[in-house]
Amino acid sequence: MTELEFIDSTGIAILVALHQRLNADGDHFKLVRSQAMAVCRVLALTGLDEVIPFQDPEPGEGEGEAARSRFAPLLESGPGN
């Protein structure tokens, strides 16, 4: 999420569905915190910053195609799959 500059209700719904799906399966995940204040504010207003574990990005993390390819399987499966 480091490159994410905007999130709307669809993005929030995907995060909630992913969180519920993984927790139901006994799996857990952490999201790398966005650097955009708008995203951080939305997550705080919805309370998701208290429900979903976040971590600060490491130097260079979230840059370019390498970061996108690591999460491609999650993005392709979508919240309903």
Side-chain angles (χ1 to χ4, degrees):
M1 290 186 45
T2 57
E3 294 181 17
L4 188 66
E5 295 179 7
F6 174 81
I7 191 165
D8 61 7
S9 60
T10 302
I12 295 295
I14 289 170
L15 291 177
V16 169
L18 180 63
H19 177 69
Q20 291 173 338
R21 182 171 144 192
L22 290 175
N23 281 342
D25 292 341
D27 296 323
H28 300 284
F29 72 102
K30 283 186 181 180
L31 292 174
V32 177
R33 191 176 313 280
S34 173
Q35 300 298 314
M37 286 303 296
V39 173
C40 293
R41 183 166 167 78
V42 168
L43 294 173
L45 288 171
T46 59
L48 284 181
D49 63 336
E50 299 292 327
V51 176
I52 297 175
F54 285 88
Q55 67 183 36
D56 291 328
E58 297 193 14
E61 189 169 14
E63 295 177 0
E65 191 61 35
R68 281 187 280 283
S69 66
R70 288 191 325 201
F71 298 106
L74 290 176
L75 297 174
E76 292 170 3
S77 67
N81 298 333

